[in-house]
């Protein structure tokens, strides 16, 4: 009898386990979470008995998915009454009716996410080729105690009253270009891995096209998918506008979020770090030479901490040089700020601490004025690249970094 019970338990476990032998989960889309600032937050009535339909684009395909919902910054449990995924077209609330698939959570349609927690859906069969645009529809009864989201989605979300998670189309009462309460999508993979990119607004895609998915991580993902050698890789964009290595800003500092955004993601095997331009730019204009030297030392120490964390988890970590930003009115940088940038970039290039270096500085600087962006890559603020600049950044990443 005990032998029969053991065999039955093993059989049930096999039925409940989504992956076949040798398969595992790999994140195919993800975004860093933060508290939306007031101008990017939803009003309480936007959550009152409403459906929120949000688009994401997966950077690698899959036929079995699970979705991460987030209440990471909530101070009370969050109840979501229903959730679905479907294929659609960014910029429109209409989805393909035949693809609408209900999500469950421990076999229930609704879920209560504890304060400070994320929650995984049950695995669901869903055919999503690489670069599929997936609409995630959530029904809320009321607003969370504190919203969790990602303001820099560069994709339009749609709000309508009532539970319309199963509707193929609806007339939105409001549209907004932000994400809320969604954190990641994983796919079952037998040979894949994920590349995580941690950065600021340049990685988040300031200056890219709304609903265009043309940030530099998007364009890097396209290059990876075009090569048979790297087709198994997904790209995860953990850019946060205004982000710094050392201090919190609009979101947690890179140091504070590194474990959650990189280490804990399913299937991550390598990470690219492009951080520091906001640390340099926000240093007081009255800073002393000693304060400039201390900032450089603290930034390098932060890189070293990230490298140690990555290596402890057997991840390869690649350092990216900081882009030039002289002339930007955002920070009005001085020659001292430029000297700090040069010092940090010299360490990234020559220390040997990173497993490899991606030299965005060389790719993006104006040959006639190396402390400035190339004019053809500049949005006009002398800080953020335009779409052509993001293409040049993606092209500057050596794909052989990911052949191993």
């Amino acid at each position: 009898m005990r032998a029969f019970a053991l065999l039955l338990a093993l059989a049930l476990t096999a039925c409940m386990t989504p992956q076949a032998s040798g398969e595992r989960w790999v994140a195919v889309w993800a975004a860093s979470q933060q508290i939306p600032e007031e101008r990017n937050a939803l009003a309480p009535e936007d959550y009152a008995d409403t459906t929120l339909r949000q688009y994401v684009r997966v950077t690698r395909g899959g036929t079995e998915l699970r979705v991460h919902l987030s209440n990471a910054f909530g101070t009370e449990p969050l109840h979501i009454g229903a959730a679905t995924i479907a294929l659609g077209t960014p910029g429109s609330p209409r989805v393909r009716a035949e693809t609408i698939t209900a999500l469950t959570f421990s076999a229930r349609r609704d879920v209560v996410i504890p304060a400070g927690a994320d929650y995984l859906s049950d695995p669901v069969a869903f055919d999503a080729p690489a670069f599929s645009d997936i609409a995630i529809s959530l029904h809320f009864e009321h607003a969370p105690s504190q919203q969790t989201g990602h303001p820099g989605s560069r994709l339009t979300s749609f709000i309508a009253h009532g539970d319309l998670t199963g509707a193929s189309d609806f007339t939105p009462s409001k549209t907004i270009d932000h994400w809320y309460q969604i954190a990641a999508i994983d796919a079952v993979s037998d040979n894949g891995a994920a590349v995580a990119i941690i950065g600021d607004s340049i990685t988040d895609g300031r200056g890219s096209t709304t609903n265009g998915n043309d940030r530099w991580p998007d364009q890097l993902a396209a290059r990876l998918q075009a090569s048979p050698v790297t087709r198994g890789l997904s790209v995860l964009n953990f850019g946060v506008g205004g982000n710094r290595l050392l201090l919190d800003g609009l979101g947690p500092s890179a140091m504070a979020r590194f474990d959650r955004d990189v280490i804990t993601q399913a299937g991550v095997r390598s990470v690219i770090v492009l951080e520091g331009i906001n640390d340099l730019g926000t240093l007081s204009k009255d800073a002393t030479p000693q304060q400039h030297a201390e900032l450089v030392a603290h930034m390098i120490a932060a890189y070293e901490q990230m490298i140690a964390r990555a290596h402890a988890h057997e991840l390869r970590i690649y350092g990216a040089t900081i882009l030039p930003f002289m002339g930007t009115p955002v920070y009005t940088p001085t020659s001292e700020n430029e000297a700090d940038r040069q010092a940090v970039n010299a360490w990234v290039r020559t220390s040997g601490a990173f497993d490899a270096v991606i030299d965005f500085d060389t790719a993006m600087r104006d040959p006639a004025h190396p402390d400035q962006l190339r004019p053809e890559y500049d949005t006009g603020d002398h800080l953020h690249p335009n779409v052509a600049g993001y293409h040049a950044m993606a092209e500057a990443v050596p794909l052989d970094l990911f052949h191993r």
Side-chain angles (χ1 to χ4, degrees), residues 16-39:
M16 296 172 64
T17 302
Q19 304 104 309
S21 176
E23 294 182 332
R24 58 191 176 86
W25 291 106
V26 173
V28 293
W29 169 82
S32 186
Q33 302 301 296
Q34 62 186 88
I35 300 173
E37 59 271 34
E38 185 176 354
R39 63 188 175 88

Side-chain angles (χ1 to χ4, degrees), residues 42-53 79-82 137-143 158-165 170 173-174:
L42 291 175
E45 57 267 26
D46 293 329
Y47 277 103
D49 184 26
T50 58
T51 295
L52 176 60
R53 179 163 288 173
H79 180 231
I80 294 177
S137 301
L138 306 177
H139 177 245
F140 296 91
E141 294 180 342
H142 52 76
F158 304 90
I159 299 172
H161 291 288
D163 181 1
L164 301 176
T165 54
F170 55 73
S173 58
K174 184 174 185 177

Side-chain angles (χ1 to χ4, degrees), residues 255 258-259 298-311 317 347:
M255 284 282 288
F258 188 80
D259 278 21
H298 290 155
M299 289 175 64
I300 290 171
Y303 290 143
E304 290 174 327
Q305 287 290 307
M306 291 182 179
I307 293 166
R309 293 292 298 147
H311 287 168
I317 181 166
W347 184 87

Side-chain angles (χ1 to χ4, degrees), residues 65 85 119 122 136 153 179 222 237 257 289 316 353 357:
L65 308 180
I85 56 176
Y119 218 99
D122 299 330
I136 305 173
S153 68
W179 286 317
N237 185 338
R257 64 191 179 92
R316 295 184 63 82
V357 175

Side-chain angles (χ1 to χ4, degrees), residues 154-227:
R154 321 295 171 193
L155 289 158
T156 302
S157 300
F158 304 90
I159 299 172
H161 291 288
D163 181 1
L164 301 176
T165 54
S168 61
D169 196 10
F170 55 73
T171 300
S173 58
K174 184 174 185 177
T175 62
I176 191 165
D177 296 337
H178 311 305
W179 286 317
Y180 304 91
Q181 320 297 153
I182 56 175
I185 295 179
D186 301 336
V188 170
S189 172
D190 58 357
N191 63 352
V195 179
I197 304 172
I198 188 163
D200 48 46
S201 58
I202 293 173
T203 296
D204 204 27
R206 177 70 178 270
S208 63
T209 308
T210 299
N211 297 315
N213 290 293
D214 49 17
R215 296 155 289 202
W216 78 262
D218 300 318
Q219 300 195 55
L220 173 60
R223 289 188 67 209
L224 293 173
Q225 287 297 314
S227 169

Side-chain angles (χ1 to χ4, degrees), residues 130-392:
F131 307 121
S132 294
D133 296 303
I134 297 179
I136 305 173
S137 301
L138 306 177
H139 177 245
F140 296 91
E141 294 180 342
H142 52 76
S145 57
Q146 173 63 66
Q147 294 173 35
T148 296
H150 186 86
S153 68
R154 321 295 171 193
L155 289 158
T156 302
S157 300
F158 304 90
I159 299 172
H161 291 288
D163 181 1
L164 301 176
T165 54
S168 61
D169 196 10
F170 55 73
T171 300
S173 58
K174 184 174 185 177
T175 62
I176 191 165
D177 296 337
H178 311 305
W179 286 317
Y180 304 91
Q181 320 297 153
I182 56 175
I185 295 179
D186 301 336
V188 170
S189 172
D190 58 357
N191 63 352
V195 179
I197 304 172
I198 188 163
D200 48 46
S201 58
I202 293 173
T203 296
D204 204 27
R206 177 70 178 270
S208 63
T209 308
T210 299
N211 297 315
N213 290 293
D214 49 17
R215 296 155 289 202
W216 78 262
D218 300 318
Q219 300 195 55
L220 173 60
R223 289 188 67 209
L224 293 173
Q225 287 297 314
S227 169
V229 180
T230 56
R231 192 166 293 156
L233 296 175
S234 60
V235 175
L236 311 178
N237 185 338
F238 294 112
V240 171
N243 201 230
R244 289 179 281 183
L245 280 165
L246 303 171
L247 297 174
D248 292 350
L250 301 181
S253 71
M255 284 282 288
R257 64 191 179 92
F258 188 80
D259 278 21
R260 182 175 66 205
D261 284 355
V262 175
I263 301 298
T264 64
Q265 298 300 321
V268 170
R269 291 295 175 265
S270 56
V271 54
I272 299 171
V273 178
L274 176 57
E275 287 273 8
I277 201 167
N278 295 313
D279 296 79
L280 298 172
T282 54
L283 185 65
S284 170
K285 301 305 176 190
D286 299 322
T288 65
Q290 180 179 351
Q291 289 172 318
H292 279 278
E294 288 177 348
L295 174 63
V296 170
H298 290 155
M299 289 175 64
I300 290 171
Y303 290 143
E304 290 174 327
Q305 287 290 307
M306 291 182 179
I307 293 166
R309 293 292 298 147
H311 287 168
H313 291 270
E314 300 182 345
L315 307 184
R316 295 184 63 82
I317 181 166
Y318 308 127
T321 52
I322 299 171
L323 280 63
F325 67 112
M326 284 296 285
T328 178
V330 177
Y331 292 130
T332 58
T334 64
S335 58
E336 288 81 8
N337 298 126
E338 174 62 11
D340 294 344
R341 186 182 75 92
Q342 293 289 352
V344 172
N345 281 350
W347 184 87
V348 170
R349 289 188 180 104
T350 65
S351 68
F354 285 105
D355 294 308
V357 175
I358 300 169
D359 201 345
F360 288 140
D361 173 36
T362 298
M364 300 297 289
R365 66 193 183 201
D366 183 350
H369 304 281
D371 59 357
Q372 300 176 25
L373 281 175
R374 294 175 69 106
E376 64 268 33
Y377 296 159
D378 192 345
T379 56
D381 68 2
H382 311 307
L383 178 64
H384 297 97
N386 55 24
V387 173
Y390 287 138
H391 177 77

